């Protein structure tokens, strides 16, 4: 579970980073683009992944899917926050937990104990109570939140498949995915520069390179968690989600002075109870 905790810390820090970046009116898309460049460089120089691989052993469909989805879902998430508000978008992202949990049962053949099922029920209750806030946007358009839900759910499943792929190391897989995501992002960015006359600014590049360090840690520890708990992917999926709820809420209260209702605090308590129950189910 230590890898889950480290992944949660990196994930919440990424969110804080992007929230602070918006206050400085930085270009989020440019930041996201160069975050992948930073992540692939860090991956290469830290782990020196073996890039001499047989073409037939590469799961191109898996890597290409992630390389395409990562930047696109990032962009959809930003669009959803802009059009429907952060509350609805956050709800959609948290409810995406349904998708990998279903996949744990049907795709990865995991057996759920009664105790773990109780933990899931408590966890989903925590989602609703923690996110029970008044939305700052009045738009009822659920297209973007729905795409966020589907996008994050599918990404979770695909990263689980990367973690259990045994033809070569997951650090090599990660390097190829980051390369693909950067290439796709930079092509989009070049298009925006040519068509929309968008200006590339050094401050966005620097913020992106810094964000890439956090994003690399987030995904790396997430994959390590799936490898360590290979027989229990639902524990990683649920633990990650509940952990982000707890730490993200605390960050909102302490750093951004966000107002919380008594139901929100009750939701945080349920998230903590959910993690305890799911952890106990692992010990049995």
């Amino acid at each position: 579970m230590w890898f889950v905790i480290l992944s949660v810390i990196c994930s919440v820090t990424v969110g804080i980073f992007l929230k602070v970046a918006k206050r400085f009116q930085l270009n989020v898309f440019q930041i996201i683009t160069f975050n992948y460049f930073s992540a692939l460089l860090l991956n290469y120089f830290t782990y020196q992944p073996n890039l001499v691989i047989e073409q037939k052993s590469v799961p191109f469909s898996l890597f290409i899917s992630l390389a395409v989805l990562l930047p696109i879902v990032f962009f959809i998430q930003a669009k959803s926050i802009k059009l429907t508000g952060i509350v609805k978008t956050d709800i959609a992202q948290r409810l995406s937990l349904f998708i990998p949990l279903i996949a744990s049962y049907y795709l990865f053949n995991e057996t759920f104990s009664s105790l773990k099922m109780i933990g899931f029920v408590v966890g989903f209750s925590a989602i609703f109570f923690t996110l029970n806030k008044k939305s700052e946007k009045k738009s009822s358009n659920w297209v973007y939140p729905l795409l966020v839900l589907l996008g994050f759910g599918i990404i979770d499943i695909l990263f689980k498949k990367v973690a259990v792929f045994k033809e070569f190391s997951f650090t090599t897989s990660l390097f190829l995915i980051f390369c693909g995501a950067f290439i796709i992002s930079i092509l989009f960015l070049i298009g925006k520069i040519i068509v929309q006359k968008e200006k590339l600014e050094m401050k966005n590049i620097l913020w992106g390179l810094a964000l890439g360090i956090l994003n690399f840690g987030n995904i790396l520890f997430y994959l390590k968690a799936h490898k360590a708990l290979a027989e229990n992917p639902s524990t990683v999926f649920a633990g990650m989600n509940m952990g982000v709820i707890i730490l993200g809420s605390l960050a909102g209260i302490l750093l951004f002075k966000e107002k919380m209702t008594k139901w929100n605090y009750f939701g945080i308590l349920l998230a903590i109870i959910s993690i305890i129950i799911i952890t106990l189910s692992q010990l049995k």
Side-chain angles (χ1 to χ4, degrees):
M1 291 296 285
W2 281 109
F3 289 131
V4 175
I5 293 171
L6 290 172
S7 183
V8 166
I9 292 171
C10 289
S11 178
V12 172
T13 308
V14 165
I16 294 171
F17 202 89
L18 288 174
K19 192 163 185 175
V20 172
K22 287 180 68 177
R23 291 187 174 184
F24 287 96
Q25 296 184 338
L26 300 173
N27 188 307
V28 174
F29 189 83
Q30 290 184 19
I31 291 174
I32 290 172
T33 299
F34 287 96
N35 121 85
Y36 291 122
F37 181 65
S38 173
L40 72 88
L41 286 181
L42 191 59
N43 184 11
Y44 181 79
F45 288 111
T46 303
Y47 291 99
Q48 263 120 48
N50 179 20
L51 302 180
V52 181
I53 52 180
E54 294 183 19
Q55 189 173 5
K56 64 180 181 180
S57 69
V58 181
F60 283 108
S61 59
L62 177 60
F63 291 167
I64 292 172
S65 297
L66 276 168
V68 171
L69 280 174
L70 283 173
I72 287 179
V73 172
F74 247 136
F75 177 74
I76 292 174
Q77 183 184 22
K79 199 80 171 175
S80 179
I81 290 172
K82 181 179 179 180
L83 295 178
T84 67
I86 195 168
V87 173
K88 289 180 181 177
T89 304
D90 212 10
I91 290 172
Q93 186 176 347
R94 298 294 154 244
L95 289 181
S96 68
L97 177 61
F98 271 115
I99 297 175
L101 285 184
I102 292 171
S104 296
Y105 185 81
Y106 287 104
L107 293 182
F108 305 118
N109 302 313
E110 181 181 356
T111 302
F112 296 159
S113 66
S114 298
L115 190 59
K116 184 173 283 190
M117 287 295 294
I118 292 171
F120 293 157
V121 172
V122 174
F124 278 114
S125 300
I127 291 173
F128 286 106
F129 282 113
T130 307
L131 299 175
N132 182 25
K133 303 173 186 176
K134 184 179 287 189
S135 177
E136 72 278 14
K137 298 280 183 178
K138 298 186 182 296
S139 172
S140 58
N141 185 354
W142 277 90
V143 173
Y144 283 104
L146 180 60
L147 291 175
V148 168
L149 186 152
L150 293 173
F152 276 101
I154 293 170
I155 285 173
D156 280 346
I157 295 171
L158 294 179
F159 269 127
K160 167 60 183 175
K161 292 177 76 70
V162 169
V164 299
F165 186 71
K166 297 180 180 178
E167 293 296 322
F168 43 86
S169 71
F170 70 91
T171 52
T172 300
S173 301
L174 203 53
F175 180 83
L176 295 175
I177 292 167
F178 283 141
C179 273
F182 176 65
I183 290 170
I184 290 168
S185 298
I186 201 70
L187 288 175
F188 268 110
L189 182 56
I190 291 171
K192 286 165 73 71
I193 291 172
I194 294 173
V195 177
Q196 300 178 6
K197 308 300 180 184
E198 185 174 293
K199 185 180 178 182
L200 183 63
E201 297 184 83
M202 179 57 67
K203 61 181 180 180
N204 296 320
I205 296 174
L206 295 175
W207 275 72
L209 295 176
L211 179 65
I213 298 172
L214 299 171
N215 201 23
F216 171 69
N218 174 27
I219 297 175
L220 177 68
F221 292 128
Y222 186 69
L223 289 176
K224 282 179 174 286
H226 271 302
K227 288 186 75 69
L229 299 167
E231 303 301 318
N232 296 279
S234 65
T235 298
V236 180
F237 294 137
M240 182 73 186
N241 220 285
M242 295 304 104
V244 168
I245 286 176
I246 295 167
L247 191 58
S249 297
L250 292 175
I253 296 168
L254 298 175
L255 299 179
F256 301 105
K257 310 302 180 184
E258 293 180 359
K259 293 182 179 180
M260 303 282 283
T261 68
K262 60 182 180 181
W263 293 117
N264 299 150
Y265 285 111
F266 181 59
I268 296 172
L269 177 62
L270 287 179
I272 295 172
I273 293 172
S274 172
I275 288 179
I276 293 173
I277 293 173
I278 293 170
T279 303
L280 289 175
S281 73
Q282 292 294 115
L283 303 177
K284 289 186 177 293

